[in-house]
Amino acid sequence: MEKINVATYDDLKNVIKESGRSYDNSLIERAYRLANSAHEGQLRRSGAPYISHPLSVAVILVNLGMDTESVVAALLHDVVEDTSVETAVIEKEFGKEIANLVEGVTKLGQVPYVSREEQQAENIRKMFLAMAVDIRVMIIKLADRLHNARTFQYLPDEKRRYKALETMEIYAPIADRLGIRTIKEELEDISLKYLDPVANAEIEKRLKDTWEQETFLDNIIKVMNERILKEHPKAHIEGRIKSHYGIYRKVYMNGRDFSDIYDIYAVRVIVDSVIECYNILGIIHDMFKPIPNRFKDYISTPKQNMYQSLHTSCFDRSGTPFEVQIRTWDMHYTAEYGIAAHWKYKMGMTGKNSMEDRLAWVRQLLESQQEGEDAEEIVRSIKTDIAPEEVFVFTPKGDVMSLPMGATVLDYAYKIHSAVGNHMVGAKIDGKICAIDTPVQTGMIIEIMTQASKTPNRDWLNIARTGEARTKIRSWFKKEKREENIEEGRAILLREFKRNSINPTEEELEEILESESKKQNLAGADDFLASIGYGGFAVSKIIPRLKEEFQKKHKKEEKPELSPIVKARKEKKGISGVEVEGLDNCLVKFAKCCNPLPGDEIVGFITRGYGVSIHKKDCPNAIMSKQREEQPGRWVNARWAGEVQESFQSTIEIIGQKRSGLLADVSMLFNNLRVDLHSFNAKELKNETLMFKITMAVNDIAQLNFVINQVQKIKGILKVERVTG
Ligand code: MN
């Protein structure tokens, strides 16, 4: 990449022209004009006019292959921060998309960074990625940092070290994760120069003295060209020397000797197809002596950042080791530009902001080249790396805290420390007073204000979203407020009693409290009420039972309203069972594969030793088994005999459009219908849908159909199906 550190507008125009891609030049010109006048009179530390910085960033982005929007945003990226121009002006002049990019870059610039242990650095990296809802924001930020790094020499010593460390710990790893090798290596090499100048000088000296790099590489390339071009006339061969930091890692961090590094020199062979890659590998192993155990196939198993190539190491005739990297052009662009290759070489796709879009091209790239499973794995790991379910916020000191999506300021306070939560009086987000139920968002700096005399409020249990905060609040109430808890518990219990028309006399109430506290293994009525009071015990668990007991005892005239299911169950009488043709009183069991219900057409299968197993007539197992030759005699006709008293397990699958309250609606329906549930599972599928799998006890097919019918009435339900087999 060409390095222009004091760029002019002409430089930008030139690289745009050289790129051969089409840009909206008039839009870029307008952005330049605005930036130029806004930064008028400002200077960089180097003494260069300030505008040279945004221009240089724009040049880097053009070289990376980024689009017009990114280039315009680069020109404007310091305008909001450093001048009197406001975001609203940018939005009016250049549209929402560019305004969002500029705002994103500005916000990232405000993230305080305090170097700490690895975990902290990792959190900041994740947060950066999460904040860059449009990944172009991250790429512009990287280009911004790259140009600043190129001019680190003008910073005062102290600041330079700090910036170099930040670059090494935060920015270079992000460039690596996005696969932008060109930026990653330059950032690392510049930082190394300031972080370990002694080692860096040593590396430079070794490279210069010990190896005549240029000639060595030139010779290898020449020999290779002679042989390879004969068979692959379109192959491109180039050489490269390992980055300083790459050498530093091996020698100074892993304690290896210079002479053990086999890949200081690398020769790259770039071709059109994957087949050619393997073909050329053979030719190279024929020409040079390969070093054992150095072959790596990153084509069939790409690295996490999508890097693909074949690697091998060989000795040349003089015994000097070197590495060979063989790849297609596609792989090459991805290796050099990573996620940015998406804009550079896959024109026509615009960088919109959804995660799916961002990753679609990764998936496409991977799927076209290898088996599904690994690709899925990689895409998943990129996704979880930038998990949208996680939110990162800062303490005023610059520590990063991670919280689940939806967590509130209150959760954050308890996450810091229970004492902070318990004595919280208020909070500030980015310096402004906020409500304690404000949901936290990535990038916020949150300050909690406390007062020793302040104590938690019961409503906080509804505000807290994390289990951690709730537990801490409850344990405070449990410890501190016994009397209050007992009062509160009594109030809650009586309120629930009233709602459910349970109205016991004083004596009855005492009886209930006494027996319930025993059931919960508590010392007495007060303990029981206290545990309700601080939220440790949910009354809803016992209300249905108490209601039933109470009603039984009082035999109220007005019958409780029963759902058809309960009525049906009550009215059922008669003998349970199934009649099997030709067999009297045989032992019968119901097949687990299809769970037949009274009302289903059924058949019997005479098992060896366990009587007759009853299947649905259309059970796939039954149909298949009947077709096997040795089986037909074992299948017998069967039918339901009279009315069946027992209940049967049956499973249904429900698919519904995701919305808040859907889960509650479904579970409430089953509660209201008073269906006995054996299991209740819900999970989220793709396309914003939820799937429930519910196993319940029913008496017959009519009841099951009734349930299915009721479920279908719930808003947003797309499909309800009985699961058999
Ligand atoms: Mn900048």
Side-chain angles (χ1 to χ4, degrees), residues 121-133:
E122 183 51 32
N123 272 344
I124 297 181
R125 288 197 284 271
K126 278 195 197 171
M127 186 194 57
F128 265 59
L129 289 166
M131 274 174 81
V133 179

Side-chain angles (χ1 to χ4, degrees), residues 127-399:
M127 186 194 57
F128 265 59
L129 289 166
M131 274 174 81
V133 179
D134 183 330
I135 200 70
R136 288 176 297 180
V137 167
M138 201 60 248
I139 298 172
I140 297 166
K141 190 70 202 161
L142 284 173
D144 176 37
R145 175 50 57 106
L146 178 59
H147 181 250
N148 284 334
R150 283 176 185 169
T151 54
F152 273 170
Q153 72 260 35
Y154 300 108
L155 292 177
D157 280 0
E158 179 67 6
K159 191 158 187 192
R160 185 195 300 139
R161 252 196 81 78
Y162 161 78
K163 285 282 172 192
L165 189 63
E166 189 187 53
T167 303
M168 190 67 106
E169 287 195 338
I170 307 299
Y171 290 90
I174 289 175
D176 186 34
R177 192 168 304 164
L178 298 181
I180 312 175
R181 192 194 62 81
T182 50
I183 290 190
K184 170 200 168 238
E185 287 190 353
E186 198 181 338
L187 288 176
E188 285 173 347
D189 282 1
I190 295 173
S191 305
L192 180 64
K193 204 160 68 185
Y194 301 113
L195 292 174
D196 192 342
V198 179
N200 188 60
E202 241 174 69
I203 291 169
E204 260 171 18
K205 193 166 177 319
R206 287 297 281 268
L207 283 177
K208 214 176 250 163
D209 296 354
T210 325
W211 291 294
E212 294 155 5
Q213 353 165 340
E214 303 286 322
T215 13
F216 174 79
L217 272 179
D218 285 351
N219 280 336
I220 298 270
I221 292 171
K222 197 171 144 236
V223 181
M224 278 195 181
N225 266 330
E226 277 165 17
R227 169 90 185 262
I228 290 174
L229 293 187
K230 263 185 224 154
E231 288 169 55
H232 300 273
K234 279 164 72 194
H236 170 81
I237 303 176
E238 63 183 31
R240 86 172 202 101
I241 291 157
K242 198 175 183 61
S243 75
H244 289 191
Y245 185 67
I247 297 172
Y248 182 84
R249 277 228 316 255
K250 289 202 168 162
V251 174
Y252 295 85
M253 290 165 83
N254 298 336
R256 300 254 291 277
D257 197 79
F258 260 86
S259 53
D260 289 341
I261 309 177
Y262 295 140
D263 58 352
I264 286 193
Y265 300 115
V267 177
R268 245 177 229 153
V269 186
I270 310 170
V271 289
D272 289 329
S273 70
V274 174
I275 303 283
E276 283 177 284
C277 292
Y278 290 96
N279 213 314
I280 281 167
L281 180 73
I283 299 178
I284 285 165
H285 282 175
D286 187 41
M287 291 175 70
F288 303 97
K289 185 172 177 291
I291 303 172
N293 301 323
R294 293 283 307 173
F295 172 65
K296 289 190 200 101
D297 184 348
Y298 294 118
I299 289 184
S300 59
T301 316
K303 290 190 189 179
Q304 278 220 353
N305 62 9
M306 305 156 314
Y307 178 87
Q308 286 187 297
S309 280
L310 297 177
H311 284 193
T312 185
S313 297
C314 301
F315 291 117
D316 88 325
R317 270 153 231 162
S318 69
T320 309
F322 65 99
E323 186 178 78
V324 184
Q325 304 166 350
I326 310 165
R327 52 175 76 149
T328 65
W329 284 106
D330 262 2
M331 294 172 194
H332 181 63
Y333 298 139
T334 301
E336 296 293 287
Y337 303 105
I339 203 153
H342 163 52
W343 285 274
K344 191 164 190 164
Y345 300 101
K346 294 185 194 289
M347 300 302 288
M349 291 175 75
T350 50
K352 289 296 176 286
N353 48 13
S354 86
M355 179 63 72
E356 279 312 307
D357 281 357
R358 266 196 250 169
L359 295 170
W361 73 280
V362 181
R363 201 176 291 124
Q364 197 187 346
L365 182 78
L366 293 167
E367 278 170 0
S368 62
Q369 265 143 4
Q370 51 158 39
E371 308 302 321
E373 241 177 40
D374 283 345
E376 285 278 301
E377 185 52 43
I378 290 157
V379 170
R380 198 174 313 126
S381 73
I382 295 174
K383 265 193 161 165
T384 46
D385 251 13
I386 325 174
E389 293 79 20
E390 222 176 342
V391 173
F392 300 93
V393 297
F394 285 102
T395 67
K397 282 188 199 148
D399 282 322

Side-chain angles (χ1 to χ4, degrees), residues 44 50 53-54 57 74 77-78 81-82 105 140-141 143-145 147-148:
R44 296 274 289 171
Y50 196 90
H53 168 63
V57 177
H77 83 271
D78 280 334
E81 175 116 68
D82 300 345
V105 177
I140 297 166
K141 190 70 202 161
D144 176 37
R145 175 50 57 106
H147 181 250
N148 284 334

Side-chain angles (χ1 to χ4, degrees), residues 487-498:
E487 276 311 298
E488 179 73 16
R490 184 184 298 272
I492 293 174
L493 188 68
L494 292 180
R495 197 162 59 226
E496 282 305 301
F497 275 6
K498 203 172 170 194

